[in-house]
Amino acid sequence: MAERVTLSAPAKVNLRLCILAREQGGYHALETVFCALSLADEVEVSRGGSGARLAVEGEIDTGPPERNLALRAAHVFYREIGRAPATDIRLAKRIPSAAGLGGGSSDAAAVLRALNTLEGEPLARIDLLRLAIELGADVPFFLCGSPLALAWGRGERLMALPPLPRRPVLIAHPGVAMPTAEAFREVAALRGETYVPTPAQINADALADWDRIAARAVNDFEPVVARRIPVLDDGLAVLRSAGARLALLAGSGSSIFGVFDDDASRDDAEPALASLGLRTWRAETLGEMPAPRLA
Ligand code: C5P
């Protein structure tokens, strides 16, 4: 039996993010297209003594350990299998936090997968998905097996899609965070209580190539987040003028990203973004989800 499982936990961006409705409890029903990126954390999960312990490497602030989603994932996993936690988690953090890139969610999904492997697959995929939803709206995507998926609801209803050809991506971050709950509140304040449905036909066919995806690329958070962080609009303009096929806010912010046709035009956009004071990361879209490595 394996003693340790190592997983690359990729970042994601949303190629489309529409807020469809506000539920009674205050949550929002979404329609979104998730796309995984090569920018990734590394998560190493080992069989441990008693308890669940977390060690974080890297310069990125991940907040207090008790609120860390990777650690919470370990606790809900052991609760589900009816055993006391017994694991050590090492997280090499590279995905910026509170950036809309799903880093914490991806780490949590990696921990669920790794623990299920270490413990001899006690949970079926559907059980893992249930735990994933409990942890957060972006977590189920990282367990769906494809780097591209259409999702509804809070992100728990997923249609895994065939991956698209890999494309270079440039991410830019303004250095300030945009908390998700605040972004939702601001959209609600802007729209009032009336969420008028916008007709759209979204199906697998509409998402079958980059041209069709670019035609449907939108992020409903963009107006409220860019109002609060105006440099994001300038950054999106730079990405577009450098030839990005699509340029959007990532999730609820605060980073933005562009998807390019070639490395050269992506790389050309970097200096102009840096001169706006934005920090940049080069990445590419993934052709497949990373496989776990056992030791
Ligand atoms: O799921 P996650 O933990 O990322 O959500 C953070 C907050 O964003 C929630 O507590 C909720 O206030 C808001 N949210 C929402 N509708 C969603 C997802 C999140 O209102 N579909």
Side-chain angles (χ1 to χ4, degrees), residues 26-28 30 135-137 153-154 180-181 184:
Y27 252 75
H28 296 81
L30 306 177
L135 291 164
R154 298 179 190 182
T180 305
F184 274 109

Side-chain angles (χ1 to χ4, degrees), residues 57 72 89 180 194 197 205 284:
E57 294 167 12
R72 279 178 49 206
I89 301 166
T180 305
T194 46
D205 211 40
E284 57 178 35

Side-chain angles (χ1 to χ4, degrees), residues 3 66 92 97 104 160 172 177 206 210 230 278 293:
E3 284 299 310
E66 66 276 11
S97 295
W210 282 109
L278 299 170
R293 305 188 296 281

